[in-house]
Amino acid sequence: MKINFNFGLEFKAINSLPVMMYRKILPLFFGALFFFSLSANAQKIAFVDVQEILENIVEYQEAQTELDRLANQWRQEIAKEYDLIKGMYNQYQAEQVLRSEDARKQREEEIMNKEKAVRDMQRERFGPEGQLFSRRQQLVQPIQEKVYAAIESYANERGYDFIFDRSSDSGMIFSNPQNNKTEYIFRRL
């Protein structure tokens, strides 16, 4: 079966080119036109490695060094407190037989209170809302915001619709608001 691409028109020779040449060029022309019309509607997507970017920023490296120094200092303080508690417990074990029931209970209470105080200190410094977390936000968040602003600026200049972060599970870090179809979904509900 032979496909007819002349669309009902008879070509004899146009500008001295044979009809066979037009039968080959015309489908290629329409195919290219179709391809370019599809690519004109395609969304531009990119990815970046935010961690790599941050690791190459001097301010971020300095902030990370300060946070590491602070965390190590606090860990050492907490370790000293636990060593002190261990010493208190060992002393209690050695003197337990010599103490009265009330004196033993009082000493046990002192040790438990000291353990609780150290756990509280640990939570205050390293907990989800602790001092290390707050300090990290003070030092690192402005740098991260600067990086995200640069990514958004780049995306808007180059016409990207979506930019994903390859280095984390956070996923999308920029999306063109024109691609937000939330309102259409609400309308369908």
Side-chain angles (χ1 to χ4, degrees):
M1 177 172 171
K2 189 172 182 183
I3 300 174
N4 186 359
F5 287 106
N6 65 8
F7 304 106
L9 302 174
E10 288 220 16
F11 295 102
K12 299 235 178 186
I14 301 175
N15 295 337
S16 71
L17 285 176
V19 175
M20 285 303 284
M21 184 67 94
Y22 281 104
R23 287 186 177 168
K24 290 180 181 177
I25 292 175
L26 198 58
L28 289 174
F29 173 75
F30 283 120
L33 185 65
F34 177 73
F35 174 76
F36 287 119
S37 70
L38 285 179
S39 65
N41 292 329
Q43 295 176 334
K44 288 180 75 175
I45 299 172
F47 72 88
V48 294
D49 191 334
V50 173
Q51 190 62 39
E52 182 179 344
I53 293 169
L54 289 172
E55 289 172 355
N56 288 301
I57 296 175
V58 175
E59 295 91 4
Y60 180 81
Q61 294 170 351
E62 291 169 353
Q64 207 57 44
T65 301
E66 181 179 337
L67 291 169
D68 290 344
R69 181 194 56 76
L70 193 59
N72 286 334
Q73 176 187 340
W74 287 342
R75 278 190 204 100
Q76 288 174 357
E77 289 174 15
I78 290 170
K80 284 180 185 176
E81 292 295 320
Y82 276 121
D83 288 343
L84 183 67
I85 292 169
K86 186 176 179 181
M88 289 172 66
Y89 183 74
N90 289 339
Q91 184 181 4
Y92 165 76
Q93 289 288 325
E95 298 172 350
Q96 181 178 6
V97 291
L98 303 174
R99 293 182 178 252
S100 67
E101 184 70 29
D102 290 338
R104 278 194 305 246
K105 286 185 180 184
Q106 182 181 357
R107 189 67 175 159
E108 287 173 3
E109 215 171 283
E110 287 175 19
I111 294 170
M112 289 189 321
N113 287 340
K114 185 73 172 167
E115 283 179 339
K116 183 184 180 311
V118 174
R119 281 194 308 270
D120 289 344
M121 180 194 322
Q122 200 170 10
R123 190 173 23 260
E124 286 173 12
R125 293 194 175 160
F126 295 104
E129 310 244 343
Q131 295 170 348
L132 186 64
F133 179 78
S134 298
R135 189 68 179 140
R136 181 178 305 280
Q137 281 192 305
Q138 289 173 343
L139 295 174
V140 174
Q141 190 169 3
I143 300 167
Q144 288 175 326
E145 288 173 359
K146 182 178 164 184
V147 169
Y148 291 137
I151 290 169
E152 185 174 346
S153 171
Y154 178 83
N156 287 327
E157 286 174 13
R158 302 290 173 103
Y160 282 98
D161 294 307
F162 301 101
I163 294 187
F164 294 91
D165 181 8
R166 173 177 108 164
S167 64
S168 72
D169 294 332
S170 64
M172 191 178 341
I173 54 177
F174 171 80
S175 67
N176 188 333
Q178 291 176 332
N179 292 312
N180 184 357
K181 305 303 179 196
T182 306
E183 187 62 35
Y184 295 107
I185 301 303
F186 280 132
R187 289 181 195 161
R188 289 179 182 243
L189 293 177

